[in-house]
Amino acid sequence: NIMIVIKIKYFLVLLALVLVVSSCNTSQFQKLDLNNSYYQLTFGKNVPLKLKQQAKSVFAKNQQSTSIQNNNIEINNYLFKKYDVYAGNALRALETEISISIDIKVKKNDKFISKTIVSTKRFNSIELNPLAEKEMLKFVKEQLINDLIDKLIIEVKLIDL
């Protein structure tokens, strides 16, 4: 008697779970393939070479494409900010905050977005060696450029949804 009630409850829970899961699948997920699309890239004057190279390696892989498409990515207004955080009685900054921002305009067929992408990182800058501090700044700047490219890829993928 109790076993039958447990089996019925188990069956009803399983049936409800199957209905919920199957009703969530309204359409098949489409993965955006950046390798088959060609994007024409346009850069502003102040965009650094490292950012240009990485964007070209991601979005302009298939340049011998003969199909004419309206896929444009415009990157402008590169802005690099460095902010030193002072605290206590130290004469040097304890931390440094780096912020990089770019304005993007993405046009794919008839869809268009315009956004400002910002990436920020804070790190300890109390080093005895000034050369180590410069190298850390260079390393963090490269990380932020990689982060900007990742955010740009996400924005381009979202325009297709």
Side-chain angles (χ1 to χ4, degrees):
N1 196 6
I2 295 176
M3 287 300 283
I4 295 173
V5 172
I6 292 175
K7 285 183 181 180
I8 291 174
K9 283 184 181 179
Y10 178 74
F11 176 75
L12 291 175
V13 168
L14 189 61
L15 181 66
L17 183 66
V18 167
L19 288 175
V20 167
V21 170
S22 66
S23 65
C24 291
N25 188 13
T26 57
S27 66
Q28 186 176 3
F29 175 73
Q30 287 184 321
K31 181 182 175 190
L32 175 64
D33 190 13
L34 293 174
N35 293 331
N36 293 335
S37 298
Y38 172 69
Y39 292 89
Q40 182 177 357
L41 296 169
T42 319
F43 299 101
K45 292 180 181 177
N46 62 347
V47 177
L49 182 63
K50 176 90 173 159
L51 184 62
K52 289 179 185 179
Q53 289 173 341
Q54 287 191 0
K56 285 179 183 177
S57 71
V58 172
F59 294 105
K61 289 180 181 176
N62 193 8
Q63 290 193 2
Q64 51 270 34
S65 176
T66 57
S67 63
I68 299 172
Q69 295 179 346
N70 290 333
N71 299 342
N72 298 320
I73 299 174
E74 189 176 321
I75 300 174
N76 290 316
N77 299 334
Y78 174 83
L79 186 62
F80 172 77
K81 290 182 184 176
K82 178 182 173 189
Y83 175 71
D84 292 323
V85 178
Y86 296 95
N89 55 4
L91 296 176
R92 296 181 61 193
L94 294 177
E95 288 184 333
T96 301
E97 183 178 275
I98 305 278
S99 180
I100 295 179
S101 68
I102 56 172
D103 292 339
I104 62 163
K105 294 177 184 172
V106 180
K107 182 181 177 194
K108 174 135 176 127
N109 298 330
D110 58 343
K111 298 178 184 175
F112 179 80
I113 59 167
S114 180
K115 280 191 174 184
T116 299
I117 299 177
V118 179
S119 188
T120 304
K121 187 156 181 130
R122 189 178 266 203
F123 64 94
N124 265 345
S125 64
I126 190 120
E127 293 283 341
L128 295 176
N129 184 356
L131 183 61
E133 189 175 329
K134 285 182 184 178
E135 288 298 315
M136 184 65 168
L137 180 68
K138 181 180 167 184
F139 175 73
V140 169
K141 193 173 179 181
E142 287 178 6
Q143 279 185 331
L144 290 177
I145 287 176
N146 290 338
D147 188 45
L148 283 177
I149 293 294
D150 291 342
K151 289 179 180 181
L152 181 61
I153 290 171
I154 290 171
E155 291 299 327
V156 170
K157 286 183 178 183
L158 285 177
I159 202 168
D160 277 345
L161 296 179

